[in-house]
């Protein structure tokens, strides 16, 4: 009896195992199909059974004694179901290798990152370099404010400074240059950067009086109407020579008080106390009349960016903007302390603007010396100084000091006018490269035009005086200035 076999085993190993079981051999004969081997195996089993049942002396012929591989036909409908050799694996292309490598590296990186994050979270290395602002030593005791008496204190600032100095020293050695940084030098350098507003300040101090210019200014002050009195102070920033015509006199400041307020604002910006994009609220207690347009924005806007507020205070002399800044900076008392620190003994804010009674005071000397410090980089960072000077160059009212200048000259200034007192203070850059600072205040009958004409004459006299003085050799040579244009700018309301 021939046992039926499956047409195709599930795997080659299964095929080999079936062949061994059926034929009793380790490998099938060459060219013989599985069905033929099954037939032969079945026939062999029947013959063996018959031989076992054969009686002694009986002889029978074995029909399957010789089986040829070519003589047996397949019973599987002529299909050869023999095993086929395994095809060799196709090698990976370069982009497949790159993708596989990237995946492997990514997995390794994620694992390393997880391990490192766990270690940092567990050990918290920042606790070894964290200390208070006063440089207090760190402690490793269990109590945060109780150090072990037998353990030395660790000062984080000195440790970090020593590391920075060592790194710099080793770098200089590799470059072949002498060491330039030490821990002590690093500490002093950090202190200097933290306290100085500018690393390259050009400090100017009044050296000696310019008698010729002082005489000219004094003569002008007495040649006009008797009711007009002028007070002026000019200083040459190239050599420190100054002209003082009663410039130390304390007078109502009018809107010239907005110059030190603006400097205090940018000082707070440099210190990180105020952001230029910070929104300042437009509240009822700061809204006032007279100069400015912000008073008309009630119900339209509720706040302004700080930079826009200080710009309006200078450019259009907005009183509401000034009160917003005074409030934001800490009030009148805080600003008066800053004015004293800047050596402005005659300058003080007593009331919010508009101060039509003239209770806020200053002097031409205070304003001029403050602008000298500003342009020299003593009060603000270079970035804040340039920003403020750029704003002051946009001042709309140009009926006072600008009228005494030639067309090619530039001026950054701020005016003030409360009717009985008007004034102007600014920094003038001449076409020949020379720079000077001037401040003029004048008292007059209410809105008397003679006061404005007097300040124009004083500005023109000072400009022509400095025009004849050759600037230092370090200043770049400039073409000669053009002649003064006879046309005058239209009169604008000043405050």
């Amino acid at each position: 009896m021939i046992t039926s076999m499956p047409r195709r085993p599930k795997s080659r190993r299964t095929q080999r195992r079936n062949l061994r079981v059926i034929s009793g051999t380790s490998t099938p004969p060459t060219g013989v199909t599985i069905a033929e081997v099954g037939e032969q195996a079945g026939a062999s089993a029947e013959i063996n059974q018959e031989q076992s049942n054969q009686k002694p002396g009986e002889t029978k012929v074995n029909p399957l004694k010789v089986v040829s591989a070519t003589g047996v036909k397949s019973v599987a409908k002529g299909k050869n179901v023999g095993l086929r050799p395994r095809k060799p694996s196709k090698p990976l292309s370069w982009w497949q290798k790159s993708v596989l490598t990237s995946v492997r590296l990514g997995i390794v990186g994620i694992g390393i990152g997880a391990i490192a994050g766990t270690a940092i979270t567990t050990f918290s290395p920042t606790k070894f370099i964290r200390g208070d602002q006063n440089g207090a030593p760190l402690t490793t005791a269990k109590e945060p404010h109780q150090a072990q008496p037998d353990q030395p204190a660790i000062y984080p600032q000195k440790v970090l400074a020593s590391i920075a100095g060592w790194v710099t020293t080793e770098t200089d050695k590799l470059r072949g240059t002498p060491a330039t940084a030490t821990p002590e030098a690093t500490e002093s350098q950090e202190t200097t950067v933290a306290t100085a507003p500018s690393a390259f300040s050009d400090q100017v101090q009044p050296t000696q009086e310019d008698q010729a210019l002082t005489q000219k200014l004094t003569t002008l002050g007495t040649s006009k109407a008797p009711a007009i009195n002028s007070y002026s102070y000019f200083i040459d920033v190239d050599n420190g020579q100054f002209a003082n015509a009663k410039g130390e006199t304390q007078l109502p400041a009018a809107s010239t008080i907005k110059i030190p307020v603006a400097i205090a604002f940018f000082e707070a910006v440099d210190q990180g106390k105020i952001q230029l994009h910070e929104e300042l609220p437009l509240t009822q207690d700061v809204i006032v009349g007279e100069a400015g347009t912000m008073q008309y924005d009630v119900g339209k806007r509720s706040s302004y960016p700080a930079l826009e507020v200080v710009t309006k205070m200078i450019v259009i002399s907005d009183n509401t903007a000034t009160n917003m800044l005074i409030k934001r900076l800490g009030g009148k008392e805080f600003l008066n302390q800053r004015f004293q620190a800047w050596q402005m003994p005659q300058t003080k804010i007593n009331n919010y603007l508009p101060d039509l009674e003239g209770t806020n005071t200053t002097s031409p000397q205070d304003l001029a010396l403050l602008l000298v410090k500003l342009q020299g980089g003593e009060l603000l960072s270079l970035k804040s100084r340039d920003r403020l000077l750029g704003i002051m160059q946009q001042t709309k009212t140009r009926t006072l000091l600008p009228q005494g200048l030639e067309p090619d000259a530039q001026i950054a200034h701020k005016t003030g006018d409360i009717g009985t007192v008007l004034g102007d203070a600014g920094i003038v850059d001449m076409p020949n490269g020379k720079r000077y600072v001037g401040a003029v205040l004048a008292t007059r009958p209410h809105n008397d035009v003679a006061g404005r004409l007097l300040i124009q004459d004083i500005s023109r006299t000072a400009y022509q005086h400095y025009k004849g003085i050759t600037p230092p050799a370090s200043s770049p040579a400039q073409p000669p200035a053009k002649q003064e244009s006879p046309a005058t700018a239209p009169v604008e309301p000043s405050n």
Side-chain angles (χ1 to χ4, degrees), residues 10 67 101 120 156 216 221 269 284 327 335 357 368 386 460 490:
K10 295 183 179 181
V67 180
T101 303
I120 293 175
K216 294 177 183 179
V269 171
Q284 194 64 37
K327 179 180 178 180
L335 289 173
E357 294 77 15
D386 294 343
R460 186 177 298 106

Side-chain angles (χ1 to χ4, degrees), residues 6 31 33 58 62 75 132 190 229 284 324 331 340 439 446 487 491:
T33 61
E58 184 177 358
N62 187 0
V75 294
D132 55 14
E190 292 177 354
N229 297 294
Q284 194 64 37
M324 292 172 66
Q340 294 299 317
H446 190 76
V491 177

Side-chain angles (χ1 to χ4, degrees), residues 160-395:
L160 295 178
S162 301
I163 295 174
W166 178 82
V167 172
T168 306
T169 303
E170 295 299 323
T171 304
D172 291 337
K173 289 180 180 179
L174 294 176
R175 294 177 179 175
T177 57
T180 57
T182 61
E184 294 77 9
T186 305
E187 290 185 12
S188 62
Q189 182 179 2
E190 292 177 354
T191 304
T192 304
V193 173
T195 56
S198 172
F200 303 97
S201 61
D202 185 13
Q203 298 183 2
V204 178
Q205 298 294 335
T207 55
Q208 60 181 0
E209 187 173 4
D210 189 338
Q211 297 291 341
L213 181 57
T214 298
Q215 184 62 37
K216 294 177 183 179
L217 300 179
T218 303
T219 303
L220 279 175
T222 57
S223 62
K224 298 294 181 180
I228 308 298
N229 297 294
S230 65
Y231 310 84
S232 58
Y233 191 96
F234 287 80
I235 181 171
D236 186 343
V237 300
D238 294 329
N239 52 33
Q241 294 185 0
F242 64 93
N244 184 8
K246 301 183 294 183
E248 70 282 355
T249 306
Q250 187 180 57
L251 297 166
S255 287
T256 60
I257 197 68
K258 298 170 182 177
I259 296 177
V261 172
I263 294 176
F265 167 79
F266 280 103
E267 181 184 56
V269 171
D270 289 338
Q271 295 173 353
K273 298 178 180 179
I274 298 179
Q275 302 296 325
L276 292 178
H277 62 273
E278 175 183 338
E279 290 288 331
L280 302 184
L282 182 63
T283 55
Q284 194 64 37
D285 58 328
V286 299
I287 299 175
V288 292
E290 299 298 328
T293 61
M294 295 177 65
Q295 57 182 312
Y296 305 113
D297 290 342
V298 179
K300 300 178 182 179
R301 298 183 62 174
S302 59
S303 63
Y304 286 85
L307 180 59
E308 182 179 354
V309 174
V310 70
T311 301
K312 288 181 178 293
M313 180 184 70
I314 297 296
V315 174
I316 62 175
S317 196
D318 198 301
N319 291 327
T320 299
T322 308
N323 292 340
M324 292 172 66
L325 290 181
I326 294 176
K327 179 180 178 180
R328 177 62 180 84
L329 290 171
K332 299 174 291 184
E333 293 75 12
F334 172 79
L335 289 173
N336 290 332
Q337 293 176 2
R338 299 309 303 146
F339 301 162
Q340 294 299 317
W342 297 336
Q343 299 179 358
M344 303 178 69
Q346 309 299 336
T347 304
K348 187 176 182 181
I349 297 179
N350 294 304
N351 287 295
Y352 286 90
L353 275 68
D355 180 33
L356 300 179
E357 294 77 15
T359 61
N360 300 331
T361 61
T362 190
S363 69
Q365 186 180 42
D366 281 3
L367 294 174
L369 294 181
L370 180 68
L371 291 177
V372 168
K373 294 177 181 179
L374 172 65
Q375 64 87 34
E378 299 182 43
L379 302 177
L380 304 176
S381 65
L382 297 182
K383 179 172 63 176
S384 294
R385 179 203 66 179
D386 294 343
R387 190 185 295 272
L388 177 55
L389 292 180
I391 294 174
M392 294 177 66
Q393 289 177 352
Q394 305 174 35
T395 299

